[in-house]
Amino acid sequence: LPRVAGGARVSVYLAMRQEVQTGPLLAWLFQGGKRVFVPTVVGSRSADMRMPELRGLEELAGLRESKWGIPEFEPAQLAERADGADPDAGAEELIDVVLAPGV
């Protein structure tokens, strides 16, 4: 995965129960010093998805499950968190690569 190895900011779509689990991938990314961002839906429109930074594996256990069974941040947790998909962010704050699990 050279593109992942070369990126500083990686977005990982967290897995639903029946998908390939992304926990080991997250551990590898954190061990490699990567900044990790995960999707969170905050509304009903397609533009309502954010990519807040997950600061460590310990935070993963505290996320709520969405109606699809995917761990997500609560909207109140987003205020003090970097958003890797923020259109107003500088290029140095945007996501370098996105990884998504499959069924």
Side-chain angles (χ1 to χ4, degrees), residues 70-86:
I70 301 169
E72 290 186 331
F73 284 100
E74 295 283 351
Q77 294 174 295
L78 302 178
E80 300 298 320
R81 208 166 280 279
D83 183 346
D86 182 353

Side-chain angles (χ1 to χ4, degrees), residues 60-94:
L60 191 58
L63 300 183
R64 68 169 169 85
E65 280 197 5
S66 71
K67 64 182 177 182
W68 299 283
I70 301 169
E72 290 186 331
F73 284 100
E74 295 283 351
Q77 294 174 295
L78 302 178
E80 300 298 320
R81 208 166 280 279
D83 183 346
D86 182 353
D88 297 324
E92 69 282 351
E93 289 299 315
L94 295 177

